[in-house]
Amino acid sequence: MEDLTKILRSHPFLSDLDDIYIKQIAGCASNVVFRENEFIFREGEEAKRFYLLRTGKVALEINGREKGRIRVLTIGPGQILGWSWIVLPYRWHFDAEVLEDVRAIALDGECLRKKFDADPKLGYEMLVRFSQIVEQRLNVARIQLIDMYKRG
Amino acid sequence: MEQMLQNIDPMIPLRMKVSRIFWETEDVFTIELEPEDEALSKFKFKPGQFNMLYAFGIGEAAISICTDSSKIGAFSHTIHRVGYVTRSISNMKNGDLVGIRGPFGSWWPVEKTEGKDICIVAGGIGLAPLRPAIYHIFKNRKKYGRITILYGARTPGDLLYRDELAQWNKKHDVRVEITVDRADSSWKGYVGVVTTIIDYAQLNPANTIAMVCGPELMMKFSIDELMMIGFPESSIYLSMERNMKCAVGFCGHCQFGPYFICKDGPVFRFDYIKKIFDIEEY
C-alpha cells in the first residue's frame, strides 16, 4: 500500500507543508480512482471531499439548459478539485466529469474541519493554500470573461 | 533585417498567383501562393517575418508568412478576414494575382536558441506567425532540448491547423497542449485560458526560451504567467502586430516607442519593450 504521507508531500499543493501537518492531514486521506465518463460529483450535492489529482483529467461543467452542457474548466494532474467543502453550505456548484481516468487523493472535508478546529494553525496553512487556488481560478474566470481573442 | 530579394524595390509589389485558398475557421483562411513574377521564384524568408499583401485596386495588409522557411518560392499566409483588404483577398479564386512586398521585419531567434528548451505559446491566429519557427525546430529537432507547444483559442472551432496539431505530438517528440476558453461536452481537451496550461507544462525557466504570439491581451497574460513561474524577461520573445503601412520604416504608422514594428520588429525580446508594451495602438 502506498504511503499516503509521501503521496501528499509529492503533490504540488502540499509540497511545502510542514511534516507535522502532512501527518495530520493524512488521517483524512484516501486513495481513489475514477474512470472515464464517471461523475465525481454533481451540482447541488453535498461537498464532502476535495481531491488532489495525481493523474487524469476532469471537466467542470454546468447544465446550460437550452445551451446544452457547458464545460468551463478542466483540472489535471498536480491540481486541486473542489473547495466547496470549506465554504458553507458545502454544496458543489458544478458537475465534475472524468475525461481521462483519474487517480487522486481524496480528503474528507468534515475530518479536516474538525482538525482545523483543534489546530487553527493547520487551518490557517490550508486556508492560505486554498486562497491561492481561489485567486488563480478567479483570475482565469475573469480572463475568460474578457474574451481576449475577440478583436476590437 | 533580412535582405530582401536582390535589386528589388521594396515599394513595388511583385505578383504571386493564388494556387489554393481554404477556410481554417469561420473567419480565418489560408491562401497558398506561387510566383508569377520570376524574381519571386527565389523568395525566401526567416520564421516570423511578414509580407505586405496587395489586393490590386483595393489596398495592402501586413500578414505574417506561415509556411516552412526552408522552402524557396511558394509560400502561404493565414489571414483573419476582418477588413476591406482581407475580405477582398478571401474572395479570390485560384489563378488570381496578389501583389507581394517583402519579406520584412525581424524573426524568431531559432538559430540563437539552439541547445535550449523551447516553449511556444500561441493564441488564436497567433499560431500562424509561429508556425515557420515550429517547422524550423522540427527540421532541426536534435539541436534543441525539450519542445513544448501551448496553444489556446476561444472555442474548438477557432483552432487552426487541426490536422497538423494532431500529428506534432506523435511525429516530432514535442509536447503539445491545447486549451479553449469554452466548449461543450463534445470537447475532450482542456478548457481554460492559455495561462492555465503554462503552469501545467512544468517548464524549466532557467533553460527555456518562450516565443509568444497572439492578441496583445493574450500575450500580456501569458507573459505575466511566464514571469511568475520564473522566466527572465530576456528569455521571452513576442511578435507585435500593429498597423503597418510602408513596412520599411518611412511612414511612422507602426511607431512603437523608439522602435518601428515593421523593421525593428515584429519579433521583439520582451525586456527591450516591456516599458512600452502597454502603449495602446492609436
Side-chain angles (χ1 to χ4, degrees):
Chain A
M1 187 155 84
E2 285 181 284
D3 181 350
L4 280 177
T5 54
K6 273 195 188 147
I7 299 171
L8 289 170
R9 162 71 64 223
S10 69
H11 195 278
F13 184 67
L14 298 174
S15 59
D16 60 346
L17 191 63
D18 284 347
D19 276 339
I20 188 169
Y21 296 136
I22 292 277
K23 286 188 173 108
Q24 286 190 55
I25 288 170
C28 303
S30 56
N31 263 311
V32 292
V33 172
F34 298 100
R35 297 295 171 205
E36 188 178 320
N37 299 325
E38 215 178 318
F39 281 86
I40 299 176
F41 52 77
R42 294 275 202 172
E43 181 185 351
E45 286 177 350
E46 188 183 348
K48 293 180 183 173
R49 308 195 282 190
F50 78 98
Y51 303 88
L52 309 178
L53 260 63
R54 299 172 65 194
T55 64
K57 194 190 292 173
V58 178
L60 293 181
E61 298 178 339
I62 56 173
N63 180 352
R65 305 293 185 263
E66 68 279 2
K67 290 183 183 178
R69 297 188 61 73
I70 301 170
R71 200 154 279 179
V72 296
L73 192 66
T74 48
I75 311 285
Q79 295 183 312
I80 296 293
L81 175 62
W83 68 70
S84 296
W85 64 277
I86 208 170
V87 181
L88 281 165
Y90 312 136
R91 294 277 163 192
W92 294 120
H93 299 286
F94 299 101
D95 294 344
E97 183 181 359
V98 177
L99 299 182
E100 292 170 11
D101 288 356
V102 162
R103 285 171 55 231
I105 299 295
L107 287 139
D108 185 88
E110 191 178 349
C111 173
L112 281 175
R113 290 193 299 269
K114 282 181 180 159
K115 287 190 189 281
F116 297 167
D117 287 339
D119 186 348
K121 278 182 84 175
L122 169 61
Y124 171 75
E125 289 289 336
M126 291 295 283
L127 205 56
V128 162
R129 283 162 177 75
F130 269 99
S131 299
Q132 286 172 349
I133 300 294
V134 172
E135 188 206 34
Q136 283 164 18
R137 301 276 166 92
L138 183 58
N139 281 338
V140 165
R142 282 172 170 160
I143 297 172
Q144 281 171 303
L145 268 178
I146 287 169
D147 193 3
M148 59 186 179
Y149 297 113
K150 191 174 176 180
R151 233 180 139 92
Chain B
M1 180 165 62
E2 169 74 354
Q3 182 58 47
M4 274 183 56
L5 301 166
Q6 294 286 336
N7 302 322
I8 300 295
D9 185 332
M11 298 307 290
I12 306 285
L14 296 175
R15 295 172 305 166
M16 294 288 280
K17 187 166 57 183
V18 176
S19 59
R20 191 170 162 235
I21 187 165
F22 56 94
W23 291 88
E24 302 276 355
T25 72
E26 202 178 30
D27 57 356
V28 175
F29 63 98
T30 292
I31 185 166
E32 293 178 358
L33 301 169
E34 288 171 352
E36 176 73 6
D37 288 326
E38 170 60 25
L40 282 170
S41 62
K42 300 185 190 65
F43 182 94
K44 54 182 182 165
F45 68 99
K46 298 268 199 188
Q49 290 192 300
F50 68 96
N51 283 330
M52 295 301 289
L53 265 67
Y54 187 24
F56 289 107
I58 305 290
E60 274 189 326
I63 310 283
S64 295
I65 310 166
C66 69
T67 32
D68 183 351
S69 57
S70 67
K71 296 191 172 131
I72 295 179
F75 51 84
S76 306
H77 292 279
T78 296
I79 304 171
H80 186 193
R81 185 190 60 188
V82 71
Y84 199 37
V85 172
T86 52
R87 208 170 295 127
S88 170
I89 296 174
S90 77
N91 290 328
M92 288 186 178
K93 308 273 183 298
N94 289 1
D96 285 349
L97 295 177
V98 169
I100 293 290
R101 294 192 296 119
F104 298 114
S106 57
W107 52 90
W108 300 108
V110 288
E111 277 139 7
K112 273 199 307 199
T113 54
E114 287 175 5
K116 299 276 193 185
D117 295 347
I118 304 290
C119 177
I120 304 276
V121 185
I125 197 171
L127 184 57
L130 280 162
R131 195 164 74 151
I134 293 170
Y135 285 155
H136 177 95
I137 290 167
F138 287 171
K139 277 202 149 70
N140 299 276
R141 183 66 187 89
K142 289 189 180 141
K143 293 183 180 175
Y144 301 92
R146 208 157 62 106
I147 306 296
T148 308
I149 298 173
L150 307 175
Y151 180 37
R154 190 196 284 129
T155 68
D158 294 305
L159 293 168
L160 301 182
Y161 319 131
R162 269 166 276 194
D163 292 341
E164 278 188 61
L165 287 171
Q167 294 300 315
W168 288 349
N169 246 335
K170 296 174 198 163
K171 281 169 76 172
H172 299 286
D173 184 27
V174 304
R175 179 177 180 177
V176 180
E177 300 290 357
I178 300 168
T179 186
V180 294
D181 281 9
R182 61 191 77 121
D184 62 27
S185 53
S186 63
W187 171 251
K188 299 300 178 192
Y190 284 105
V191 175
V193 293
V194 70
T195 52
T196 56
I197 55 175
I198 289 174
D199 189 41
Y200 174 64
Q202 294 183 314
L203 303 165
N204 174 13
N207 192 49
T208 305
I209 298 296
M211 300 182 196
V212 183
C213 188
E216 280 189 32
L217 205 47
M218 168 260 161
M219 290 200 290
K220 177 204 146 36
F221 287 127
S222 300
I223 290 168
D224 285 349
E225 189 70 24
L226 287 166
M227 293 201 295
M228 202 158 76
I229 63 171
F231 271 74
E233 293 160 356
S234 57
S235 293
I236 301 171
Y237 290 78
L238 64 156
S239 181
M240 294 294 296
E241 301 198 10
R242 291 195 176 178
N243 195 10
M244 290 186 268
K245 294 288 184 196
C246 73
V248 289
F250 289 165
C251 70
H253 271 84
C254 66
Q255 179 135 25
F256 182 51
Y259 304 111
F260 290 113
I261 289 181
C262 67
K263 66 185 189 70
D264 303 304
V267 176
F268 289 96
R269 206 172 83 176
F270 182 62
D271 55 337
Y272 292 167
I273 63 164
K274 67 168 186 169
K275 288 187 180 161
I276 55 173
F277 186 49
D278 290 334
I279 293 177
E280 285 180 33
E281 187 171 8
Y282 73 90

